[in-house]
Amino acid sequence: MSTQTEQNAPSNSTKSMDDIVALCRRRGFIWQSSEIYGGINGFWDYGPLGAELKRNLKNAWWQDIVTCPPDGPDGHPLSIVPVDCTIIMNPTVWEASGHVGGFNDPMVDCKECKARFRADHLADLECPLKPSKKAGEHSACKLTEPREFNLMFETYCGAIRDEDAKTYLRPETAQGIFTQFWNVVDTSRVRVPFGIAQIGKAFRNEVTPRNFTFRSREFEQMEIEFFIHPDEAEQWYRYWRDSRYAWWQAIGLAGNNLQLREHDKDELAHYAQEGAGTSDIEYRFPFTAPGFGELEGVAHRADFDLKAHAAQCGKGDKMRYFDQANNDRYFPHVIEPSGGADRGTLAVLCEAYTPDPDRPSKVYMKFHPRMAPIKAAIFPLVNKDGMPEVAEKLYKDIRREFVVQFDVKQNIGKRYARMDEAGTPYCFTVDSDTLSDQTVTVRDRDTLSQERVNIEKVSEYLRERVGG
Ligand code: GAP
């Protein structure tokens, strides 16, 4: 199902992913991890602008889910509490969750070129042999039969590296939430329906990491496990599906590059239950266009995880939740909205990328103000006549409230161009008039219009436009 029509042109189909990657590298949004040693496939670092951008995305999620949770169907704020669990857990967790036995991708090797491919992605993957063809399409290709490959990274806890010491880097943050469910209920006075939220790193030894940060081996998830009475699964599933779709729109992915897609039955994950359903919120990345790639999944996990952990730890039915008001004992069902902070950041970058041949920079990043890594820049027009001192004082005054940059280098045109590529919504310039009338010029990134505002009103101006 798609909640939006396809009548508009797919704008991301015309954007070049190579150009976006080049800008990310040049301006310090995203770099290859350990680049000076040739990098490492599937691992990415965020530079100064990228770190702020990704932090803004995670902060917006935290603010809108944990600090100010949305109103539920009854018009009252939902009850959602946070946790921050470890990356390495008791390995039994991953037996109970089904990851040791079932978290596999089918993999094939080519005996000719030694490359390894995901068997279900062969039609999209390039064979390294020349001339370029898809995997398996060269006459020389010798693909093996598909084999199951477990995606969990293994490591060892303690000094002795034997089977008993084997542990895993978590492949999802969700299991930390499920295993602490009972502690949260006992200590937080939450009652069903309520949610537990977490942001954190997850690791998957993807067979073919690709498409920049889209499929990485180390990434961050933003997950909510929302615990409900089993009879209310359908209603809460629809609530979260629509609420999460609206959230991605509200942070700037509002056009026809975003869609909501209900899963077909044959796509369901091992924990997903038939009934309430599973859907993906998808974004049309330049590398998936005209198709879409997943940003967030909303799944009805039923009572799969709580029951599995209760059984594995040996307490079974004793761990059922007790609803005092109705004298009822049950394992709550779960609706899980699970999003990716890195895929979200990548979608925000692709959406913002706006070629403009008339600007000196030829491109600008049209970030939603809440996402913009730098909210404003402060410039002295020239480095003399007291202008740098006034500009620096203005910078010091507003930096406590906003991420701002003070830039005195090169001419004003080059400084504007740098800020256009960084996606800074407003640039304030101190000039000779400032010294006499206490006003500064403010330039709007998107319209390029300029107006003068009183230097005392700069914070207020920003507060109204980019938030506090
Ligand atoms: N707890 C459910 C779960 O982990 P998932 O669909 O496997 O579900 C949730 O992952 C989200 O995590 C995805 O929608 C995506 O945004 C992100 N994600 C998953 N694998 C990823 C990878 N290899 N690289 C980057 N992000 C990934």
Side-chain angles (χ1 to χ4, degrees):
M1 180 201 78
S2 169
T3 59
Q4 44 138 76
T5 54
E6 297 280 322
Q7 77 274 37
N8 302 327
S11 55
N12 271 4
S13 301
T14 59
K15 293 182 187 173
S16 148
M17 200 57 212
D18 286 348
D19 290 347
I20 294 173
V21 172
L23 180 130
C24 283
R25 196 174 181 289
R26 184 171 77 247
R27 289 311 321 269
F29 281 100
I30 300 176
W31 299 310
Q32 259 201 310
S33 163
S34 19
E35 191 182 289
I36 58 168
Y37 295 109
I40 169 168
N41 202 4
F43 296 87
W44 300 94
D45 289 339
Y46 289 81
L49 289 177
E52 290 285 3
L53 176 65
K54 187 173 163 190
R55 196 171 65 95
N56 288 344
L57 182 81
K58 291 190 290 178
N59 282 354
W61 186 91
W62 192 271
Q63 174 78 17
D64 298 342
I65 295 297
V66 178
T67 315
C68 303
D71 288 345
D74 63 0
H76 295 294
L78 297 179
S79 166
I80 303 182
V81 293
V83 291
D84 187 354
C85 303
T86 58
I87 286 168
I88 294 178
M89 303 172 74
N90 185 313
T92 317
V93 168
W94 306 109
E95 285 167 31
S97 69
H99 285 84
V100 170
F103 196 51
N104 301 324
D105 275 342
M107 169 188 93
V108 293
D109 290 307
C110 178
K111 289 185 175 161
E112 178 66 24
C113 68
K114 310 292 178 221
R116 177 163 285 180
F117 307 102
R118 241 179 84 168
D120 52 340
H121 288 176
L122 281 183
D124 303 328
L125 297 171
E126 289 286 317
C127 170
L129 299 178
K130 295 289 170 231
S132 47
K133 289 190 177 179
K134 297 292 176 201
E137 287 184 353
H138 266 285
S139 53
C141 289
K142 286 188 195 142
L143 299 184
T144 60
E145 284 300 306
R147 285 178 294 137
E148 291 298 319
F149 172 78
N150 192 289
L151 297 188
M152 281 198 295
F153 278 101
E154 294 175 4
T155 185
Y156 295 88
C157 254
I160 300 168
R161 290 183 159 252
D162 62 11
E163 271 302 297
D164 290 342
K166 191 158 94 183
T167 53
Y168 305 94
L169 305 189
R170 67 180 175 198
E172 61 172 11
T173 60
Q175 296 305 323
I177 296 179
F178 292 125
T179 53
Q180 294 297 0
F181 167 81
W182 293 274
N183 275 334
V184 171
V185 169
D186 289 347
T187 58
S188 310
R189 302 173 61 85
V190 285
R191 311 307 306 160
V192 169
F194 74 94
I196 307 181
Q198 170 161 228
I199 297 181
K201 290 268 186 178
F203 301 81
R204 296 183 189 174
N205 198 1
E206 297 284 356
V207 180
T208 38
R210 65 202 170 110
N211 289 333
F212 204 23
T213 58
F214 181 83
R215 192 172 300 286
S216 309
R217 288 177 165 144
E218 174 176 341
F219 54 95
E220 259 180 299
Q221 291 187 313
M222 310 182 292
E223 296 204 296
I224 308 161
E225 307 302 330
F226 198 77
F227 299 94
I228 54 168
H229 189 281
D231 293 347
E232 297 181 346
E234 178 72 40
Q235 133 189 22
W236 281 111
Y237 165 70
R238 271 192 267 113
Y239 169 87
W240 277 110
R241 183 194 64 188
D242 299 344
S243 160
R244 294 304 303 146
Y245 180 64
W247 186 83
W248 286 103
Q249 289 181 311
I251 58 132
L253 308 183
N256 69 347
N257 288 323
L258 194 72
Q259 78 166 10
L260 189 56
R261 187 180 65 81
E262 208 74 54
H263 271 209
D264 297 332
K265 282 208 169 75
D266 59 358
E267 284 180 90
L268 295 181
H270 67 276
Y271 48 74
Q273 300 291 305
E274 282 191 30
T278 298
S279 51
D280 284 344
I281 298 161
E282 300 182 326
Y283 184 73
R284 182 188 274 130
F285 292 93
F287 49 80
T288 57
F292 290 78
E294 176 188 336
L295 273 186
E296 172 159 347
V298 181
H300 175 212
R301 291 181 81 127
D303 53 7
F304 177 90
D305 303 88
L306 292 185
K307 250 188 186 161
H309 288 302
Q312 186 88 31
C313 75
K315 294 191 186 146
D317 277 351
K318 286 193 207 112
M319 293 182 84
R320 282 184 302 166
Y321 169 82
F322 182 52
D323 175 353
Q324 252 172 341
N326 298 304
N327 197 22
D328 189 9
R329 270 191 189 280
Y330 59 93
F331 284 107
H333 276 210
V334 170
I335 304 298
E336 177 194 66
S338 169
D342 302 270
R343 279 192 196 172
T345 304
L346 185 58
V348 168
L349 277 163
C350 294
E351 186 77 14
Y353 187 87
T354 312
D356 180 354
D358 296 333
R359 296 188 189 218
S361 56
K362 306 292 178 219
V363 64
Y364 68 108
M365 297 299 278
K366 198 174 177 180
F367 290 120
H368 183 283
R370 214 175 167 195
M371 293 296 110
I374 305 168
K375 307 300 183 201
I378 313 290
F379 306 144
L381 182 64
V382 289
N383 279 312
K384 56 182 185 182
D385 301 335
M387 292 180 214
E389 291 76 9
V390 176
E392 187 174 333
K393 177 170 182 313
L394 175 61
Y395 161 67
K396 283 183 177 168
D397 285 347
I398 63 174
R399 71 179 175 176
R400 285 179 193 283
E401 200 178 342
F402 305 97
V403 176
V404 281
Q405 259 193 16
F406 177 57
D407 192 356
V408 297
K409 295 198 192 84
Q410 300 181 300
N411 65 45
I412 194 81
K414 290 198 169 131
R415 283 181 262 169
Y416 282 150
R418 270 202 295 278
M419 286 302 147
D420 278 350
E421 282 195 324
T424 306
Y426 298 102
C427 295
F428 296 90
T429 304
V430 170
D431 55 25
S432 54
D433 288 345
T434 311
L435 308 177
S436 55
D437 68 5
Q438 308 300 308
T439 63
V440 291
T441 305
V442 51
R443 173 212 189 241
D444 184 299
R445 175 198 66 198
D446 302 339
T447 63
L448 299 179
S449 66
Q450 301 201 359
E451 60 178 322
R452 293 196 76 84
V453 294
N454 190 289
I455 200 162
E456 299 294 331
K457 301 270 185 200
V458 168
S459 291
E460 195 181 313
Y461 186 94
L462 280 176
R463 222 171 285 130
E464 281 167 9
R465 288 161 180 81
V466 304

